[in-house]
Amino acid sequence: MGRMSRRAFTLAALSAVGTAACDTGAAPASGAHGTGRTRGTGAAAGTAGAGARGALAATRMRGVWMATVENRDWPSRPGLSAAAQRAELTAHLDRAVRDRLNTVILQVRPTADALWPSPYEPWSEFLTGTQGRDPGWDPLGTAVREAHARGLELHAWFNPYRIATHADPGRLAPSHPARQHPDWVVRYAEGLYYNPGLPEVRAFVQRAMLDAVAKYPVDAVHFDDYFYPYPVAGQTFDDDAAYDRHGGDFAGRAAWRRDNTDRLVREMAAGIQRVRPGTRFGISPFGVWRNASDDARGSDTRAGIQTYDDLYADTRTWVRERWIDYVVPQLYWPIGFADADYATLVDWWASVAAGTGTRLHIGEALYLAGAAGQPAAWQDPAELSRHLTLAARHPQVSGHVFFAARDVAADPIGAMAHVVADHYERPAKPPR
């Protein structure tokens, strides 16, 4: 994903309806191939009534992602003192409390590194500017303690396979496992990735992640949308040797890759319960599993990326089989967007989650609100509030998560203020 934040890369892929993923640093509009029109206008559409507020009040996910990759949200830059990093962290937690949120999803393993003293992987470069350098404090331990002191849940967000947002192994810390095991590494586009097709890789990344779960009372483990990397035109993810060695029982490479991802999810779920019983496991996938034109079970969308086919992530099965405790599909389009309508996708995910026991929360693109170059819907401060009003019609939807912490704090056009005023009048406990 180069130098882009996780969500910028995702939006580039999402909005490339029918085209390859974009590799520029700026996220194109979610509605870049449509009008971005909304179904409702005026105060009635933008403000939830008393019934909607009541439905959203008692036990709901009100979450915010805090990305550390490339210093997207926190720390604001590498190399700050331990005291300054701690102060920025607690300021984000305090802002979450002021907005009556109840959950912070903190990225603690952004690039095969660690925001805690790990025996498996080096300290993250996003803390000090140098991978492997001790920052002089324990960010994850502090985050858990300070979040809990404020009544917030802390979900530890891990990226399983991304090693680096550059393609030079020589820039990794000398002790990095990827340098010790170069046969584990695939260079793809502008990044380095662990090969999901190697059983020894899956075992290692699970050990590295479960170390944090064993050490800290995190409320949940969280994965985002990166499993196999997003497709890039003209690039090949070279897993030929692993496929030759391990793929013989499958109909083709795609089925084998999906099985590799399924194994990671199932094994991680079991590992979490083994290490710290009661800790939940959630995943926030790209919002389109498959288009109905490719699979009758899919959504009425025309997205250029489909998790099943392009990321080898069968997200629908994970929900239907309850391999995970909650799912947060990233629905980063406005209401009425022709190729991927927010309303259509909420309907689809609600039907998938119905009767499963898997909690459904909706991922919301706060960072697009007021962003330059975005279509009219994202310039309207009430668009996200309308999302919550619409989603409240579905009993399967048990909350929302906003990307991301920097945007919650800045709120340039007041979109988050609208959400808080319209829907978060009273505190709510997170669903368990």
Side-chain angles (χ1 to χ4, degrees):
M1 84 178 193
R3 290 171 296 281
M4 291 188 288
S5 73
R6 161 229 189 191
R7 281 311 200 279
F9 185 90
T10 301
L11 259 293
L14 305 186
S15 59
V17 179
T19 66
C22 173
D23 63 353
T24 63
S30 287
H33 297 272
T35 64
R37 60 189 180 278
T38 58
R39 289 179 177 171
T41 58
T47 304
R53 282 197 295 269
L56 287 167
T59 305
R60 309 288 290 181
M61 167 65 84
R62 298 178 182 177
V64 58
W65 281 289
M66 191 185 302
T68 59
V69 65
E70 305 291 351
N71 299 98
R72 198 277 175 196
D73 294 316
W74 174 82
S76 61
R77 59 182 175 84
L80 294 174
S81 68
Q85 290 181 9
R86 192 180 293 110
E88 287 188 351
L89 174 64
T90 55
H92 281 299
L93 299 179
D94 289 340
R95 181 57 189 244
V97 171
R98 286 199 298 274
D99 283 348
R100 291 186 282 280
L101 306 181
N102 56 33
T103 303
V104 173
I105 302 174
L106 174 64
Q107 191 176 34
V108 300
R109 186 179 180 269
T111 53
D113 50 14
L115 271 74
W116 74 97
S118 168
Y120 298 102
E121 294 177 312
W123 283 105
S124 176
E125 67 177 302
F126 305 125
L127 295 170
T128 64
T130 301
Q131 190 175 66
R133 179 179 294 171
D134 189 332
W137 68 302
D138 180 356
L140 176 53
T142 301
V144 173
R145 183 175 63 253
E146 295 291 340
H148 288 173
R150 290 163 173 76
L152 298 167
E153 287 201 347
L154 196 290
H155 295 200
W157 164 16
F158 303 88
N159 188 290
Y161 294 126
R162 182 174 58 210
I163 298 171
T165 59
H166 58 77
D168 181 5
R171 290 173 55 185
L172 302 175
S175 63
H176 198 292
R179 295 186 70 170
Q180 297 172 357
H181 301 277
D183 54 311
W184 290 2
V185 179
V186 177
R187 181 179 298 185
Y188 180 75
E190 296 182 10
L192 299 172
Y193 301 87
Y194 283 127
N195 188 341
L198 297 176
E200 57 269 33
V201 162
R202 291 197 303 274
F204 170 77
V205 299
Q206 289 174 58
R207 285 197 301 274
M209 294 184 287
L210 289 171
D211 178 68
V213 181
K215 288 177 176 173
Y216 305 100
V218 297
D219 297 286
V221 168
H222 188 91
F223 288 176
D224 59 12
D225 47 317
Y226 287 99
F227 296 97
Y228 281 85
Y230 278 83
V232 176
Q235 301 289 319
T236 299
F237 189 84
D238 184 7
D239 55 1
D240 287 352
Y243 180 56
D244 290 344
R245 196 180 322 152
H246 301 291
D249 294 335
F250 295 89
R253 191 180 304 239
W256 170 70
R257 286 178 173 176
R258 277 189 291 274
D259 182 72
N260 294 332
T261 309
D262 285 349
R263 286 173 184 267
L264 173 73
V265 172
R266 292 198 308 268
E267 291 167 1
M268 191 66 185
I272 292 166
Q273 293 311 306
R274 182 178 67 252
V275 170
R276 192 176 290 276
T279 303
R280 285 161 289 152
F281 183 25
I283 295 179
S284 56
F286 173 71
V288 176
W289 172 70
R290 299 193 89 189
N291 297 319
S293 57
D294 292 310
D295 189 321
R297 299 169 298 172
S299 52
D300 184 15
T301 50
R302 292 175 293 281
I305 297 293
Q306 303 172 84
T307 65
Y308 183 91
D309 302 278
D310 298 303
L311 307 181
Y312 308 99
D314 189 359
T315 55
R316 180 181 181 275
T317 291
W318 305 345
V319 173
R320 298 295 298 172
E321 299 298 324
R322 204 179 177 184
W323 295 350
I324 56 178
D325 296 297
Y326 70 82
V327 66
V328 193
Q330 298 170 29
L331 303 191
Y332 290 170
W333 299 274
I335 298 170
F337 175 51
D339 291 318
D341 184 353
Y342 178 90
T344 296
L345 283 162
V346 170
D347 287 345
W348 187 86
W349 279 101
S351 69
V352 169
T356 65
T358 302
R359 296 277 188 174
L360 172 61
H361 317 311
I362 305 300
E364 302 287 352
L366 175 65
Y367 79 108
L368 291 180
Q374 299 300 325
W378 291 122
Q379 308 308 322
D380 183 349
E383 174 68 19
L384 284 183
S385 181
R386 284 192 284 267
H387 286 198
L388 272 68
T389 300
L390 184 153
R393 302 170 190 166
H394 298 274
Q396 296 86 4
V397 177
S398 55
H400 301 260
V401 181
F402 300 91
F403 191 81
R406 183 179 71 192
D407 310 281
V408 168
D411 198 20
I413 63 170
M416 193 67 198
H418 263 269
V419 167
V420 173
D422 293 347
H423 302 282
Y424 295 169
E425 181 180 347
R426 299 180 182 87
K429 295 181 180 179
R432 296 192 63 87

